[in-house]
Amino acid sequence: LLQLVTQADLSTAAVERTRPAISRELKDVYDDPSQVLFLEQMRAAFRGQPYRFPFYGTFQSLALLEHTTAEAFYKNFYVANNMVVAVGGDINSGMTLEKIRKLFGVIKPSKALPPKPKFEPGFQGSRQVVKNLDLPPSVSLLFPTPGYRHPDRYALAALARLLEGSAAARLLKPAGDAGSLAFSASAGFHLMEERGLLTFTSYPVSPQATSGTVQAMTDLLSKIRSEGFPEAEVRRVTQAMRLEAAVRRSTVGSLTQEIAEAVLFGDARYGWNVESSLEKITSEEIRRVASTYLVGDDATNLIILSKEDRKPDAGILEGLAETVASLGPGKGKAVPPNFAASAFAGDKPPLAA
């Protein structure tokens, strides 16, 4: 591990040996419609902000990779003040810490570590994006949220799971003579360090069903904002999430990695207290985060059409934009939460605390 972070081979020959593997990975990503849709969602939701860039990279950025750019990145980021060393298992903590200090103590901090990218605070207003792409047609409602350290992260993850299950299924029920509005519907919560993204996506049965799908999605979210979910349903979902977390973290390696990430992002308890944090979520907490974040003032409506489909008339698009913008208390009336709030103050107690 020490050799990887201090003595990596970044020669021109090594870069060229790596290039084909990275190219194959990029091809796998951009051949996957779900991955491409997610990248489009990030680009639409975080306009003008760092997360709009594909974190996988692109074929264009790969073409720029060479010895000098790889070495510059390595020297800037693989430094002591941007690193966490985590060791888990049946160990002697004192001896292990002594060895880590002896091995990794030679790594010097960087005085040129790039500052963290800036994000606009609060809600950024309503927006509509319409694109013709080589993807299955879809309609997405996107809600940027606070990120990794925020106290609402666990409730937001549970809200997305509730939308994914019972709420999304309601859109697939017959809607009069027209039949179902959508082939399928899904929801997700993607958590990054500085921001999260709650996504609600439907796949209309036809281009003509797009307007009805947007209306049905906003109507459903309006109902959830005011009524929330039954306590029994919330309990069932959070119990399933706790079980998944326990299974995922049942190996020492996985748990150690999550703790290391938590320390890197601010406090070990973000990784240590996952299951106990999920256990505290109530139906009232779900209703609160739904009414806070599912608002038009924080919504981007992303409409993906096939390459052959004509874009709806301007009047129709304007009506859809107004429908989304009016979600919640009304356009310009939503009160954003403190995006900079943290669940833990950054004081790092022992894990047993």
Side-chain angles (χ1 to χ4, degrees):
L1 183 60
L2 177 65
Q3 290 179 335
L4 286 176
V5 299
T6 60
Q7 303 172 28
D9 182 4
L10 300 173
S11 64
T12 298
V15 170
E16 292 308 315
R17 286 196 302 270
T18 304
R19 194 184 304 275
I22 300 176
S23 182
R24 287 192 296 271
E25 292 174 2
L26 287 175
K27 186 176 185 304
D28 288 342
V29 168
Y30 290 106
D31 283 347
D32 183 343
S34 64
Q35 294 275 24
V36 177
L37 176 61
F38 173 61
L39 295 177
E40 290 293 341
Q41 290 172 336
M42 293 287 285
R43 183 178 300 166
F46 294 109
R47 58 194 184 278
Q49 301 187 63
Y51 287 157
R52 73 186 187 277
F53 298 114
F55 49 85
Y56 299 109
T58 64
F59 289 105
Q60 290 77 15
S61 64
L62 177 59
L64 300 175
L65 177 64
E66 56 185 28
H67 162 69
T68 53
T69 54
E71 188 172 73
F73 181 89
Y74 190 70
K75 288 182 177 179
N76 277 336
F77 288 94
Y78 285 69
V79 292
N81 49 332
N82 193 45
M83 182 184 301
V84 170
V85 179
V87 181
D90 186 9
I91 59 175
N92 181 302
S93 58
M95 293 176 61
T96 302
L97 183 58
E98 182 181 352
K99 189 168 185 177
I100 289 173
R101 285 173 173 164
K102 182 178 180 180
L103 288 172
F104 288 85
V106 300
I107 303 177
K108 303 298 182 183
S110 172
K111 295 181 180 180
L113 186 66
K116 290 186 177 181
K118 299 295 184 180
F119 287 81
E120 295 296 329
F123 296 157
Q124 299 303 303
S126 183
R127 189 187 185 210
Q128 183 185 76
V129 179
V130 183
K131 287 189 172 186
N132 290 88
L133 298 172
D134 189 16
L135 289 174
S138 63
V139 174
S140 296
L141 295 178
L142 311 171
F143 301 92
T145 72
Y148 186 93
R149 289 175 287 271
H150 200 272
D152 289 342
R153 55 173 284 189
Y154 303 105
L156 284 164
L159 172 61
R161 183 68 67 88
L162 287 158
L163 280 172
E164 172 73 30
S166 62
R170 297 176 203 174
L171 289 173
L172 310 182
K173 292 182 178 180
D177 296 335
S180 298
L181 287 169
F183 289 117
S184 63
S186 63
F189 180 59
H190 309 276
L191 185 65
M192 287 87 48
E193 182 181 4
E194 300 298 336
R195 290 291 184 270
L197 182 63
L198 195 154
T199 64
F200 188 24
T201 303
S202 295
Y203 296 85
V205 294
S206 68
Q208 293 72 31
T210 298
S211 296
T213 300
V214 173
Q215 185 65 59
M217 292 170 72
T218 53
D219 288 347
L220 179 58
L221 294 184
S222 293
K223 184 176 182 180
I224 290 171
R225 288 187 75 259
S226 60
E227 299 179 9
F229 291 88
E231 188 68 47
E233 192 171 354
V234 172
R235 183 57 53 198
R236 177 183 58 79
V237 165
T238 54
Q239 285 177 346
M241 294 174 69
R242 288 171 56 204
L243 177 60
E244 291 168 8
V247 172
R248 183 181 70 246
R249 297 145 57 90
S250 61
T251 63
V252 173
S254 296
L255 178 59
T256 303
Q257 183 172 334
E258 290 198 22
I259 298 297
E261 179 184 65
V263 173
L264 183 65
F265 288 165
D267 196 299
R269 289 172 289 185
Y270 290 110
W272 192 253
N273 294 354
V274 172
E275 294 166 55
S276 60
S277 296
L278 289 170
E279 188 176 14
K280 296 175 183 177
I281 296 173
T282 64
S283 59
E284 178 55 32
E285 182 76 355
I286 293 295
R287 193 201 63 77
R288 181 187 66 79
V289 295
S291 63
T292 298
Y293 296 101
L294 300 181
V295 294
D297 287 341
D298 191 36
T300 294
N301 179 203
L302 173 63
I303 300 174
I304 301 294
L305 304 171
S306 72
K307 288 189 173 181
E308 297 76 23
D309 290 336
R310 289 181 54 192
K311 291 184 179 180
D313 293 338
I316 294 176
L317 290 177
E318 184 177 345
L320 295 180
E322 286 297 322
T323 295
V324 174
S326 63
L327 180 62
K331 190 174 182 179
K333 297 181 180 180
V335 179
N338 178 9
F339 273 51
S342 297
F344 304 110
D347 49 324
K348 305 177 180 65
L351 295 183

